[in-house]
C-alpha cells in the first residue's frame, strides 16, 4: 500500500506532540547523570537510562542516585538484554528486580521486551505505580515485516496491557518505512500510543517524520558517536535542522533523493529557507535505491517536492509525467514537483546554477561589464557525462562555448559529445590536451568528494593549461583540484556557488517564492 492511502486529513485527530528522548549510554552512573543534564540543556523531553550500558551496575547502589529527585528530565528506564540488541547478559530475574526498583523510585517510563512482557507483568504482580508507563517493545534487526505482520505484532503487544507500544524494525529499502507510517496512523486513529521507528540509514526518515504520523516519541543522540541505534540523528539536528517541534500532520515533506545522500548539505539549506519564510514544511534526505518505487510508494500530495542527486537524475526524466524542455534536452532532472493533481513535473536547476557561478567567477576578474557571456567562444572542457556533466555541457553550449567532453566511460563521453556537437576524450587523452590557451575546465564527477579528499580528476601538470577551473564537488569547499588549479594561477569557482544557486532555483519551484540568495549564502559563511 502506498503512503497516499494512510496520510490522515490535516489535523484530523487531536493528539499530543511527539516527544524527543535522548538515550544516556555512558558506562558510569555519574557520567550517565551528566548526560541526562546535557540532554535537558539541549531541550529534550525525556532521557532513556540504558542500564545495560553501565559497567558493574549495582541497582540498589546506582538507581537511587540516577533517579534522585528533583530530576532534570523524566526517565525512561531500559535494561536491554543481549538477545534483544542490548548488553545485559544475565538472567531475567535480577533484571526484572532492577526495573521494578526503578518504578518504585519514580521512573516515568519502563521498557520491557515483548518476549518477556507477560513474565515481567506477572513478576510485578500488580505493583506497577500509577504514574509509571510500561513500554512493551519489539526490535527487529533484520527487516521490516509486511503490513499484516506489523498489525499482528501490534495486536500482540497491545494484548500484554502495554501503556505504550514500541516497534523498531530495520529498513532494507526506504519504502519499508511507509509500512511503519501506516501503523503509526492506524494507532493514532485508535488512540494507541506507539513508538514506531525504522533503523539504519534507509529508515532515517522514520526518525524525523514520526511527528507527522503521530509517533509517541523519537530518539535523538546527545552527540555523534553516542547513538543507541543505527542511524539515529542527534537531538540537536532534530531540533535545529529538522525543526521537529513544528512538524505536524499537515507539514509538507520535501527532500533530496540520492544514493549516497548522507553527505548532502541540502537539508540544512532548505530547512533554514523554509523556516525563514515560516513555511510548514520539512526537508529530509531520502536514501533511495529504486526511484520509481520510491515515487509510487510515497505518492501522497504531502510528499510535495524532491531534489534529485547521484545516481537518479537521469532516471528522474523517465519517472516524471511532465519534463521541462531544458531538463529534457539536458537529459537530467534535479528537481521534481508533485502538482496538486498528483502529476510529477521535472526541472533542472543545475544548469543555471553552475553556468551563472562560472560566469560570475570570471566576471569578478575582469574590468569590463559586457553583457556578452564570458563563456562565448571559449574552449570549455567538461569532465564527466552524468547528470551534472550534461547540465554543464548544455549550459556552456547555450552560452556560445565550444564544448569538449572527457569521461571515464568513453562511450558516454561520445554520446554526450554527439548530443551537443563537441568532441569526446578519454581521461588519459585529457592529461595531454592543450590545443589553446585560456581554456575552461569543469569537473562534474564525484572525484575528490569527501571522504576521498586526496583524489583529483586531473594532474597538476595538466591543470597549467586552464585559465578557469570549476569543481561541482562542494564537500570540501576547496577540493584538491581547486587548490592545485589556484596554485597554477587559474581562476577557481567552487561547487558551493553552484550548490547555492541550484538550491535557490529549487526553492522557487517548491514554494513559488523567489530565492533567498543572501540568507542562504550566509548559512555557509
Ligand atoms: P552521475 O550522474 O552519477 O554522474 C557521475 C559522473 O562521474 C559520470 O560521468 C561518471 O563516469 C563519473 N565518475 C564517477 N566516479 C568516477 C571515478 N571514480 N572516476 C572517473 N569518473 C567517475 O552524478 P552527477 O549527479 O552528475 O553528480 C556528479 C558530481 O557532481 C557529484 O559529486 C555531485 O555531488 C556533484 N554535483 C554538485 C552539484 C552542486 O550543486 N555543486 C550539483 C550536482 C552535482 P562514468 O560515466 O564512467 O560512470
Amino acid at each position: 500500500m502506498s503512503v497516499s492511502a494512510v496520510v490522515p486529513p490535516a489535523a484530523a485527530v487531536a493528539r499530543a506532540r511527539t516527544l524527543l528522548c535522548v538515550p544516556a549510554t555512558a558506562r558510569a552512573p555519574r557520567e550517565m547523570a551528566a548526560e541526562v543534564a546535557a540532554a535537558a540543556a539541549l531541550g529534550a523531553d525525556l532521557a532513556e537510562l540504558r542500564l545495560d550500558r553501565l559497567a558493574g551496575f549495582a541497582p540498589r547502589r546506582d538507581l537511587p542516585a540516577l533517579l534522585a529527585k528533583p530530576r532534570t528530565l523524566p526517565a525512561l528506564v531500559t535494561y536491554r538484554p543481549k538477545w534483544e540488541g542490548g548488553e545485559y547478559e544475565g538472567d531475567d530475574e535480577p533484571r526484572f528486580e532492577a526495573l521494578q526498583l526503578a518504578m518504585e523510585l519514580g521512573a516515568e517510563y519502563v521498557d520491557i521486551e515483548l518476549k518477556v512482557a507477560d513474565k515481567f507483568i506477572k513478576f510485578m504482580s500488580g505493583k506497577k505505580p500509577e504514574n509509571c508507563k510500561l513500554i512493551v517493545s519489539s526490535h527487529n534487526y533484520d527487516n521490516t515485516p509486511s503490513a499484516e505482520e506489523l498489525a499482528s505484532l501490534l495486536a500482540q503487544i497491545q494484548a500484554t496491557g502495554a501503556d505504550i507500544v514500541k516497534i523498531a524494525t530495520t529498513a532494507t529499502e526506504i519504502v519499508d518505512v511507509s509500512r511503519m507510517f501506516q501503523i503509526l496512523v492506524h494507532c493514532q486513529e485508535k488512540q494507541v500510543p506507539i513508538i514506531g521507528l525504522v533503523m539504519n540509514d534507509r529508515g532515517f526518515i522514520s526518525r524525523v517524520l514520526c511527528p507527522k504520523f503521530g509517533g509517541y516519541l523519537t530518539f535523538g543522540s546527545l552527540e555523534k558517536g553516542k547513538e543507541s541505534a543505527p542511524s539515529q540523528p542527534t537531538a540537536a539536528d532534530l531540533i535545529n535542522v529538522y525543526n521537529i517541534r513544528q512538524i505536524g500532520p499537515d507539514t509538507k515533506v520535501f527532500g533530496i533523493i540520492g544514493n549516497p545522500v548522507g553527505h548532502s548539505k541540502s537539508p540544512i539549506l532548505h530547512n533554514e529557507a523554509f523556516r525563514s519564510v515560516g513555511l510548514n514544511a520539512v526537508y529530509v534526505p531520502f536514501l533511495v535505491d529504486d526511484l520509481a518505487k520510491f515515487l509510487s510508494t510515497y505518492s501522497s500530495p504531502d510528499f510535495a517536492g524532491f531534489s534529485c542527486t547521484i545516481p537518479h537524475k537521469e532516471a528522474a526524466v523517465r519517472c516524471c509525467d511532465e519534463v521541462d524542455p531544458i531538463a529534457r534536452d539536458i537529459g537530467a532532472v534535479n528537481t521534481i514537483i508533485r502538482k496538486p493533481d498528483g502529476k510529477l513535473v521535472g526541472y533542472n536547476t543545475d544548469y543555471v546554477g553552475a553556468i551563472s557561478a562560472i560566469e560570475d567567477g570570471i566576471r569578478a576578474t575582469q574590468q569590463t561589464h559586457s553583457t556578452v557571456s564570458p563563456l562565448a567562444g571559449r574552449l570549455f572542457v567538461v569532465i564527466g557525462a552524468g547528470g551534472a556533466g550534461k547540465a554543464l555541457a548544455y549550459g556552456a553550449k547555450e552560452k556560445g562555448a565550444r564544448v569538449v567532453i572527457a569521461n571515464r566511460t568513453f562511450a558516454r563521453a561520445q554520446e554526450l559529445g554527439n548530443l551537443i556537437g563537441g568532441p569526446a576524450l578519454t581521461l588519459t587523452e585529457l592529461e595531454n590536451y592543450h590545443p589553446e590557451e585560456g581554456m575552461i575546465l569543469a569537473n562534474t564527477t564525484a572525484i575528490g568528494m569527501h571522504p576521498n579528499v586526496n583524489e583529483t580528476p586531473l594532474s597538476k601538470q595538466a591543470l597549467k593549461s586552464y585559465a578557469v577551473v570549476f569543481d561541482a564537488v562542494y564537500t570540501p569547499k576547496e577540493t584538491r583540484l581547486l587548490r592545485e588549479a589556484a596554485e597554477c594561477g587559474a581562476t577557481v569557482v567552487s561547487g558551493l556557488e553552484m550548490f547555492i544557486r541550484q538550491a535557490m532555483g529549487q526553492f522557487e519551484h517548491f514554494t513559488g517564492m523567489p530565492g533567498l540568495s543572501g540568507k542562504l549564502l550566509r548559512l555557509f559563511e
Side-chain angles (χ1 to χ4, degrees):
M1 193 199 291
S2 80
V3 164
S4 62
V6 298
V7 171
V13 185
R15 55 170 206 188
R17 81 169 189 182
T18 299
L19 302 175
L20 174 56
C21 179
V22 170
T25 57
R27 294 289 178 195
R30 195 185 289 264
E31 285 167 30
M32 192 173 270
E35 286 181 341
V36 174
L42 269 176
D45 298 304
L46 69 156
E48 181 184 33
L49 307 181
R50 285 293 300 261
L51 303 183
D52 52 303
R53 295 273 304 167
L54 291 169
F57 172 53
R60 299 226 161 255
R61 181 196 63 201
D62 298 330
L63 273 178
L66 279 168
L67 292 168
K69 286 187 176 165
R71 293 200 300 272
T72 45
L73 284 178
L76 188 178
V77 176
T78 301
Y79 201 0
R80 188 80 71 224
K82 207 150 193 171
W83 48 260
E84 185 85 355
E87 298 190 19
Y88 177 79
E89 292 194 83
D91 295 336
D92 280 338
E93 188 126 336
R95 197 164 70 89
F96 289 178
E97 279 168 8
L99 291 174
Q100 184 174 25
L101 179 61
M103 284 184 175
E104 287 163 10
L105 290 169
E108 284 79 359
Y109 304 88
V110 162
D111 178 309
I112 191 73
E113 303 74 28
L114 171 63
K115 278 181 202 149
V116 293
D118 288 337
K119 195 170 153 197
F120 178 65
I121 289 164
K122 206 176 279 170
F123 175 88
M124 292 284 304
S125 57
K127 283 188 281 190
K128 180 171 87 70
E130 274 271 297
N131 56 359
C132 179
K133 291 191 166 66
L134 185 65
I135 300 174
V136 176
S137 60
S138 161
H139 299 80
N140 179 332
Y141 293 96
D142 297 323
N143 56 35
T144 300
S146 68
E148 294 72 26
E149 286 166 325
L150 281 177
S152 143
L153 180 60
L154 170 68
Q156 243 180 297
I157 296 179
Q158 281 185 279
T160 63
D163 296 308
I164 299 170
V165 172
K166 179 182 176 191
I167 299 178
T169 62
T170 298
T172 54
E173 49 181 344
I174 193 168
V175 294
D176 292 344
V177 184
S178 69
R179 300 198 290 284
M180 189 60 80
F181 289 156
Q182 287 170 32
I183 287 285
L184 291 185
V185 170
H186 169 80
C187 285
Q188 196 189 336
E189 283 164 2
K190 303 279 179 220
Q191 305 208 343
V192 176
I194 180 171
I195 303 163
L197 297 168
V198 186
M199 295 177 281
N200 97 14
D201 44 7
R202 286 169 172 76
F204 181 83
I205 59 168
S206 70
R207 300 180 177 280
V208 178
L209 298 182
C210 62
K212 178 173 175 64
F213 298 100
Y216 188 85
L217 65 75
T218 190
F219 293 94
S221 69
L222 195 55
E223 57 195 57
K224 273 198 166 40
K226 291 204 164 178
E227 300 82 9
S228 63
S231 292
Q232 196 172 74
T234 63
D237 278 355
L238 284 170
I239 296 171
N240 302 324
V241 176
Y242 297 105
N243 215 4
I244 56 153
R245 300 295 193 203
Q246 307 306 322
I247 298 177
D250 44 3
T251 299
K252 293 277 181 211
V253 180
F254 296 85
I256 178 157
I257 297 170
N259 189 354
V261 76
H263 69 283
S264 173
K265 299 260 190 279
S266 293
I268 299 174
L269 200 72
H270 283 283
N271 282 314
E272 186 58 33
F274 290 155
R275 198 194 319 248
S276 72
V277 294
L279 206 71
N280 184 6
V282 61
Y283 187 102
V284 291
F286 293 114
L287 180 53
V288 171
D289 302 289
D290 182 332
L291 180 63
K293 196 168 172 189
F294 169 82
L295 291 169
S296 64
T297 301
Y298 295 94
S299 60
S300 148
D302 276 9
F303 286 77
F306 310 98
S307 311
C308 251
T309 188
I310 305 174
H312 296 304
K313 287 182 184 175
E314 291 163 71
V317 178
R318 297 188 292 278
C319 290
C320 288
D321 301 296
E322 294 165 26
V323 177
D324 173 76
I326 294 177
R328 189 169 290 289
D329 280 351
I330 294 170
V333 155
N334 80 329
T335 311
I336 301 176
I337 303 301
R338 197 188 301 280
K339 290 206 298 190
D341 64 3
K343 288 222 164 86
L344 296 172
V345 188
Y347 301 92
N348 190 307
T349 64
D350 281 340
Y351 135 76
V352 179
I355 295 298
S356 69
I358 298 171
E359 284 180 328
D360 288 353
I362 298 173
R363 283 195 179 110
T365 65
Q366 293 175 339
Q367 306 298 325
T368 62
H369 297 284
S370 165
T371 52
V372 177
S373 169
L375 305 187
R378 306 276 289 265
L379 196 62
F380 193 106
V381 178
V382 177
I383 312 180
K390 284 178 176 161
L392 265 289
Y394 176 91
K397 177 156 188 238
E398 281 291 296
K399 297 290 182 177
R402 292 168 290 130
V403 181
V404 177
I405 312 293
N407 192 44
R408 176 178 62 180
T409 308
F410 183 61
R412 288 186 86 197
Q414 280 179 310
E415 204 180 305
L416 181 54
N418 288 340
L419 207 68
I420 52 141
L425 300 175
T426 64
L427 292 183
T428 316
E429 285 168 337
L430 186 63
E431 278 295 323
N432 301 308
Y433 186 72
H434 185 189
E436 61 187 57
E437 298 300 318
M439 299 193 296
I440 300 171
L441 180 72
N443 172 46
T444 71
T445 73
I447 301 172
M449 185 165 94
H450 183 81
N452 305 315
V453 294
N454 290 325
E455 293 179 5
T456 187
L458 200 61
S459 70
K460 191 170 176 183
Q461 179 60 28
L463 282 178
K464 290 182 179 148
S465 312
Y466 293 89
V468 180
V469 176
F470 163 79
D471 198 342
V473 173
Y474 65 93
T475 50
K477 182 178 175 191
E478 189 189 54
T479 57
R480 179 176 161 193
L481 175 72
L482 292 188
R483 192 177 64 247
E484 292 184 345
E487 285 164 7
C488 293
T491 297
V492 296
V493 180
S494 160
L496 198 54
E497 284 291 333
M498 169 185 178
F499 173 69
I500 289 165
R501 290 162 194 245
Q502 62 78 30
M504 277 160 31
Q506 293 187 327
F507 181 84
E508 290 184 30
H509 284 301
F510 291 158
T511 63
M513 298 178 195
L516 299 157
S517 55
K519 277 184 184 162
L520 294 186
L521 274 168
R522 274 197 298 279
L523 283 173
F524 287 91
E525 278 167 3

